[in-house]
Amino acid sequence: MENRNTVSIMDIPIDNLTMQEAIDRLRLFLRGSRVHTVYTPNAEILMAALRNSKLKSILCEADMLVADGAGVVLASKILGAPVKEKVSGIDLVRNSMSASSWGRTRYYLLGGKPGVAEAAAEKILKAYVNVEIAGCRNGYFKDSDEPGIIEDINSSDADILLVALGAPKQEEWIYRNRSRLKVKVAIGVGGTLDVLAGKVRLAPEFMRKAGLEWLYRLYKEPWRYKRMLELPRFVLLVLKMRFFRKNNK
Ligand code: UDP
């Protein structure tokens, strides 16, 4: 289980997996006896980890890091160690829910604005026959609510906890509480519950396939442009690293 095939991007070990391999790994985690942490870093998160050493060490200690987004896939190619495939958080969650060989699996949905997790749960139950929803909780709570939330998750008998608090809040939350959680897998999933609830639409399939989901997001949420500038900055930085390495060989 610990034999990971990873690609180091900015000193962070991104797992080199196809979607199917990532799903198989989740299945192994489900059979284990401890909580496994999974994050879905995109270019923005990797850039944040460059400035935030706590986030970086959280990512480095994860059990699985999937390459979420065209930027991370491109970076792996530039660095000469291409990952097999893009494995975005939303696709990982959807594929795990439809994994026919898994049997019934219980998910707890934590995060999003009030009502979002419940709306996502309703849609999930209609779409995925093998999924049970163990519980829902919105992502706007005080620190003092945390013990109660953990208790609710643990008594729900959930197998997989989806934590959608945005980055780096969700990564920090999972890290801080990992030893208290009884689930087998905790995944930081960003805006996935909004998508599953039908509140946010994903880019059309042809754009996602072409690695242009960022362009769609820029069009839909132009106010995010400042954060999205991290993507070209990330690519430039990776190019610089590659160039530097080449000239030092
Ligand atoms: N969110 C939350 N609690 C918070 C902050 C954010 O539950 O304190 C949720 C927010 O409602 C959204 C999700 O986290 O559903 C992801 O937020 P955003 O798109 O801003 O973050 P990203 O994943 O793009 O960094």
Side-chain angles (χ1 to χ4, degrees), residues 41-58:
N42 57 16
E44 228 176 280
I45 296 179
L46 291 179
M47 285 299 274
L50 212 56
R51 292 182 292 265
N52 177 345
S53 59
K54 173 95 196 289
L55 176 60
K56 183 174 173 181
S57 70
I58 292 174

Side-chain angles (χ1 to χ4, degrees), residues 111-113 139-140 164-167 169-170 190-191 194 217 224 227:
K113 299 211 172 84
Y140 296 84
L165 303 175
K169 213 170 175 180
Q170 62 208 6
D194 293 309
R217 191 140 199 208
R224 290 175 71 107
R227 285 176 58 178

Side-chain angles (χ1 to χ4, degrees), residues 119-193:
E122 210 180 307
K123 293 238 162 86
I124 290 167
L125 288 173
K126 282 199 186 123
Y128 303 99
V129 288
N130 278 330
V131 172
E132 289 175 4
I133 299 297
C136 293
R137 178 68 164 84
N138 75 66
Y140 296 84
F141 48 81
K142 301 191 286 287
D143 286 353
S144 56
D145 293 333
E146 218 161 85
I149 293 173
I150 307 254
E151 174 53 31
D152 191 47
I153 295 166
N154 286 341
S155 60
S156 77
D157 210 20
D159 304 297
I160 298 186
L161 170 65
L162 302 183
V163 185
L165 303 175
K169 213 170 175 180
Q170 62 208 6
E171 289 79 8
E172 288 168 358
W173 193 92
I174 292 173
Y175 185 79
R176 189 169 65 247
N177 294 304
R178 69 197 186 294
S179 60
R180 283 184 274 274
L181 289 168
K182 288 198 186 127
V183 295
K184 294 290 165 53
V185 182
I187 317 180
V189 292
T192 288
L193 296 185

Side-chain angles (χ1 to χ4, degrees), residues 2-240:
E2 305 310 329
N3 287 338
R4 285 170 66 185
N5 171 11
T6 58
V7 171
S8 174
I9 301 180
M10 293 175 176
D11 289 331
I12 295 175
I14 305 293
D15 284 273
N16 184 9
L17 300 165
T18 61
M19 174 61 77
Q20 187 54 50
E21 287 167 345
I23 295 294
D24 291 345
R25 226 176 141 74
L26 285 183
R27 178 118 196 260
L28 279 180
F29 292 166
L30 283 173
R31 289 176 177 164
S33 54
R34 63 175 177 94
V35 63
H36 293 80
T37 56
V38 177
Y39 307 113
T40 63
N42 57 16
E44 228 176 280
I45 296 179
L46 291 179
M47 285 299 274
L50 212 56
R51 292 182 292 265
N52 177 345
S53 59
K54 173 95 196 289
L55 176 60
K56 183 174 173 181
S57 70
I58 292 174
L59 294 176
C60 288
E61 283 182 39
D63 292 295
M64 179 161 79
L65 294 178
V66 295
D68 182 335
V72 181
V73 175
L74 178 62
S76 72
K77 286 184 185 155
I78 293 170
L79 293 168
V83 291
K84 291 174 189 164
E85 196 172 6
K86 175 176 84 181
V87 180
S88 67
I90 177 72
D91 290 337
L92 183 70
V93 170
R94 289 204 286 216
N95 280 290
S96 76
M97 289 182 170
S98 58
S100 51
S101 60
W102 278 25
R104 294 187 79 73
T105 309
R106 291 173 70 74
Y107 289 72
Y108 192 105
L109 315 181
L110 170 64
K113 299 211 172 84
V116 167
E118 288 79 1
E122 210 180 307
K123 293 238 162 86
I124 290 167
L125 288 173
K126 282 199 186 123
Y128 303 99
V129 288
N130 278 330
V131 172
E132 289 175 4
I133 299 297
C136 293
R137 178 68 164 84
N138 75 66
Y140 296 84
F141 48 81
K142 301 191 286 287
D143 286 353
S144 56
D145 293 333
E146 218 161 85
I149 293 173
I150 307 254
E151 174 53 31
D152 191 47
I153 295 166
N154 286 341
S155 60
S156 77
D157 210 20
D159 304 297
I160 298 186
L161 170 65
L162 302 183
V163 185
L165 303 175
K169 213 170 175 180
Q170 62 208 6
E171 289 79 8
E172 288 168 358
W173 193 92
I174 292 173
Y175 185 79
R176 189 169 65 247
N177 294 304
R178 69 197 186 294
S179 60
R180 283 184 274 274
L181 289 168
K182 288 198 186 127
V183 295
K184 294 290 165 53
V185 182
I187 317 180
V189 292
T192 288
L193 296 185
D194 293 309
V195 176
L196 291 172
K199 311 255 179 238
V200 170
R201 280 179 59 162
L202 283 184
E205 197 51 31
F206 78 92
M207 287 186 92
R208 300 186 71 218
K209 281 223 168 88
L212 293 175
E213 58 271 30
W214 56 272
L215 189 61
Y216 183 80
R217 191 140 199 208
L218 188 61
Y219 161 69
K220 284 297 230 190
E221 302 171 56
W223 57 89
R224 290 175 71 107
Y225 82 96
K226 269 206 180 126
R227 285 176 58 178
M228 291 186 60
L229 281 174
E230 290 294 70
L231 179 60
R233 282 197 199 108
F234 170 76
V235 174
L236 274 178
L237 197 61
V238 172
L239 278 169
K240 245 195 237 169

